[in-house]
Amino acid sequence: MPRLLLIEDDLTIRTPLVRALRDRGHAVAAASTALDGLRDALDNRPDLVVLDLGLPDLDGRELLRMLRAVSPVPVIVATARDDETEIVRVLDAGADDYVVKPFTAAQLDARVRAVLRRGASVAGADDPTLVVGGLRVDPRSRQVILDGEPVELTPREFDLLHHLAARPGEVVTKRELLTEVWQIPYGGADKTVDVHLSWLRRKLGESAQQPRYLHTVRGVGVRLAAPEEAAG
C-alpha cells in the first residue's frame, strides 16, 4: 500500500482529501505546517508527498527545496496558483507534477499513481532486490524476507538494512550511516545508530553477542555478511 504524506493547512480540504485517498487504497498521513511536514517526511519516509504551496509557516517552494536537499521522495504540488511562470519555477525546483485547485480526488489519485509508476520503473532498473545469504531486501516493495519468512521493519530500520545490504562484506562507518540514512551530520548522535542496529538485530533473530548478519567492527562501524561468509 503506497504511503502518502499530504501537507495542507486548510482543514476543509485536508480532511476530505485524506479520506478520499484512503478510500482509493493509499495509506495517508497529513500535516498542516511546513515544518511538521518536513519532520514527518524525514521520520517516516513516505512514498510520495502532496504539497500545498500556501502554508502558514513557510512558503511551499521553500519546503520543496528543503525536501530536495535531504530526500528523493516524489512530490506533487497541489495549489491554487495557476500562473505558468510559477508552475515552471516549481517544476524546476524539483516537483514531479503539479495540480491546480480545485481538483477532484480522482484527478489527484491518477497523478499519484502515474508518478509512483514512473518511480517504480526507475527503481526496478537501477535498484533491484538485494540478496545476502537467506536475506532478501526489495527496495521496490520495501519488503524484507529472511529464510523465506517476511520481516516487519519500520521505515528507518528498512533504510538502514538496505544501505548495509547494498554493500555486503564492507565495513560501513557510523558517520556514513548518519549522513546517508538519517541525513544528519555526525557528532554525538552515534547512539542513534546503535539503538536502531539493536532493534534490527532483534528482528533478524540475532544479537550483538551472537551475530548472524550484522557484525560490529569495534571503533569503526558495522558489516553485513551472510553467515557462511562471515564464518569464513
Side-chain angles (χ1 to χ4, degrees), residues 58-159:
L58 284 176
D59 185 80
R61 276 194 295 155
E62 181 62 27
L63 176 57
L64 177 60
R65 283 191 288 270
M66 294 167 70
L67 279 171
R68 277 292 162 263
V70 297
S71 171
V73 62
V75 177
I76 296 177
V77 167
T79 181
R81 304 177 192 176
D82 59 359
D83 178 70
E84 182 177 350
T85 302
E86 179 72 6
I87 294 173
V88 170
R89 283 200 198 102
V90 168
L91 293 174
D92 284 344
D96 295 86
D97 202 353
Y98 193 109
V99 59
V100 177
K101 297 175 182 178
F103 54 83
T104 66
Q107 289 173 326
L108 179 59
D109 178 49
R111 290 177 182 267
V112 166
R113 287 185 283 109
V115 170
L116 290 176
R117 279 197 303 270
R118 291 199 297 269
S121 65
V122 171
D126 300 333
D127 203 8
T129 298
L130 303 172
V131 180
V132 183
L135 185 66
R136 298 177 61 87
V137 182
D138 186 346
R140 293 159 293 189
S141 62
R142 294 182 68 85
Q143 290 183 332
V144 173
I145 304 295
L146 177 61
D147 298 330
E149 296 294 329
V151 180
E152 295 294 329
L153 300 180
T154 66
R156 188 74 76 188
E157 290 166 352
F158 179 89
D159 292 335

Side-chain angles (χ1 to χ4, degrees), residues 24-70:
R24 286 168 169 78
H26 304 288
V28 186
S32 60
T33 68
L35 294 181
D36 283 345
L38 180 62
R39 187 178 302 110
D40 194 294
L42 293 177
D43 288 345
N44 298 312
R45 300 294 184 91
D47 297 304
L48 184 142
V49 173
V50 179
L51 171 63
D52 177 39
L53 293 186
L55 298 171
D57 51 342
L58 284 176
D59 185 80
R61 276 194 295 155
E62 181 62 27
L63 176 57
L64 177 60
R65 283 191 288 270
M66 294 167 70
L67 279 171
R68 277 292 162 263
V70 297

